[in-house]
Every structure is written in C-alpha cells, then in structure tokens.
Amino acid sequence: EVQLVESGGGLVQPGGSLRLSCAASGFAFSSYWMDWVRQAPGKGLEWVAHIKEDGSDKYYVDSVKGRFTVSRDNAKNSLYLQLNNLKVEDTAVYYCARDPNWGAGPWGQGILVTVSS
Amino acid sequence: DIVLTQSPLSLPVTLGQPASISCRSSQGLVNRDGYTYLHWFQQRPGQSPRHLIYRVSNRASGVPDRFSGSGSGTDFTLKISRVEAEDVGVYYCMHGTQWPFTFGPGTRVDIK
C-alpha cells in the first residue's frame, strides 16, 4: 500500500522550532520529488516546500524562506521539514505529499503544528 | 506568482445533477516541456486532500468516471456528471508549472 505518515507536530511557542518527519512506503521514494503542503485552520492549501529526488534542489514559498528547511533520507524513505523561528501564522496542518506533476500520488494524514504562547 | 481563481466558490447541487467548477489562471500553464501541470484535488470534510485529476484531464486511479477535467491555456474545468452524496467537500485546482506551485481558493460543493 502506498502510504505517507507524518509525525513530529505539536505545540510550540513563537520563535521555537520543530522537526516534522514523513515516512514513505509502497513506492520508489527516491524516484520522486517530494513536497510539504500546509493548511491553516479553516483556510485553503499552501504549497510550502519542494525537494528533488536526490535532495540537490529545494524550493520554498516566500513566507518560510530562511526559516524552514526541507531534507530527505532516501535510505530511510523519509522526508523532513525543519521549522525554525516559528510564527503564530505558521499554525497549520502540515501534509507530506508526492510531486503531483507525474501522476496522482499519496498524501499523508497531516500533522498539526500550533504556534502559540 | 501564478494566481488561480475558481468559480463559483460555493456550489449547492441536487443529488444526481451535474456540477461544473471553473479554474482560471493568471498566465498560461503550458510548461517548457509541453505539459500542462494543472491538477484538481478533492478534500472531503475532515480528510486530507485527494488528487483527483492530474495534468488537466487524467483521472487518478480509483476516481469514478463521473469526474472529468478539461481545458487548456488559462481556462480549465472540473465536471461531475451526476453528483453523489460522497462528493461533498471542497475542490481545489492547483498548478505545478513553475515554483511556487499554487492552489485556487477552493469551491465548496454541498447538497441542496
């Protein structure tokens, strides 16, 4: 079964840090660009980060540049998102997803990150 | 950045009747490689988004054939031929033509 499972969310104070993880299974993880997408409570979807198959290219939405870092470990079939200097507006459910451009791929169940004092 | 607009934003539909959602892009979505990376996602209440249609008109595995996508250039459409109760949710168009990828604002489909 093709699956993505996120972990690592939680409550953090403004200025704090978190590391999200996504475990992939059921497909050739190392052959796909991978992504993080977020959804603030009651809001729409925002594509946050995009990483190439071998990790050599990375893209970020402007609102997180310099604060978030996407990475991957193909040996462990895992995707990561390091969130630093968190702001209240980063509060959202974060989804791990496979690059959509080459076919409909799996999405994770999502993990909630709450930034609040 | 490419901006996607959807209409309508709210779509009450009678069961068994058709539904149509429009997605317009602020610029053409044909990539240098010739592909048009316009996709449709469904998000049922309380669930993760589900990729329904990829590259304009390709249905994902397991998606009922009552869903269809069409369009070109800057104008795209998602159609549901006969709405069923399980189709309630929010539908998003999304482009992957250049970074940043962006989503439309979403169209909420519910039953009259």
Side-chain angles (χ1 to χ4, degrees):
Chain A
E1 181 189 4
V2 176
Q3 199 171 9
L4 296 170
V5 178
E6 301 96 339
S7 60
L11 173 64
V12 62
Q13 292 187 338
S17 297
L18 275 179
R19 190 193 195 207
L20 306 183
S21 299
C22 170
S25 59
F27 67 98
F29 178 77
S30 61
S31 298
Y32 290 90
W33 286 74
M34 293 295 297
D35 301 278
W36 289 97
V37 181
R38 68 183 178 183
Q39 186 170 36
K43 302 297 184 182
L45 297 162
E46 180 180 44
W47 220 280
V48 174
H50 187 52
I51 183 169
K52 195 175 179 180
E53 298 98 326
D54 62 1
S56 60
D57 273 344
K58 304 174 185 182
Y59 298 88
Y60 302 92
V61 70
D62 282 351
S63 58
V64 309
K65 276 180 187 174
R67 301 187 300 120
F68 290 9
T69 302
V70 61
S71 62
R72 63 192 297 163
D73 184 337
N74 287 342
K76 295 182 177 179
N77 287 341
S78 292
L79 178 71
Y80 306 101
L81 187 67
Q82 178 69 39
L83 295 71
N84 294 334
N85 190 19
L86 281 160
K87 303 177 180 182
V88 171
E89 53 265 37
D90 295 318
T91 294
V93 174
Y94 285 74
Y95 296 101
C96 170
R98 199 174 75 185
D99 180 11
N101 283 341
W102 295 107
W107 282 53
Q109 83 285 358
I111 192 81
L112 178 62
V113 171
T114 303
V115 184
S116 175
S117 54
Chain B
D1 296 2
I2 295 174
V3 176
L4 300 179
T5 55
Q6 291 181 229
S7 61
L9 297 182
S10 177
L11 183 56
V13 187
T14 301
L15 286 174
Q17 293 300 301
S20 181
I21 300 170
S22 171
C23 176
R24 288 191 169 174
S25 173
S26 60
Q27 57 186 271
L29 296 182
V30 179
N31 191 279
R32 288 172 291 182
D33 62 11
Y35 287 100
T36 300
Y37 295 114
L38 186 283
H39 313 283
W40 290 95
F41 290 82
Q42 174 196 60
Q43 188 172 31
R44 291 170 171 155
Q47 295 188 12
S48 301
R50 173 194 183 193
H51 197 168
L52 283 183
I53 303 284
Y54 62 96
R55 294 201 306 273
V56 181
S57 58
N58 298 278
R59 253 191 321 274
S61 175
V63 173
D65 61 8
R66 64 179 181 275
F67 289 93
S68 64
S70 63
S72 63
T74 60
D75 291 324
F76 302 91
T77 302
L78 175 70
K79 291 183 178 178
I80 310 173
S81 60
R82 296 173 305 280
V83 171
E84 297 189 6
E86 66 179 15
D87 300 335
V88 166
V90 181
Y91 291 78
Y92 297 91
C93 60
M94 171 257 161
H95 87 83
T97 294
Q98 64 184 51
W99 190 257
F101 298 171
T102 55
F103 289 91
T107 294
R108 186 172 300 276
V109 173
D110 59 17
I111 306 301
K112 281 183 183 174

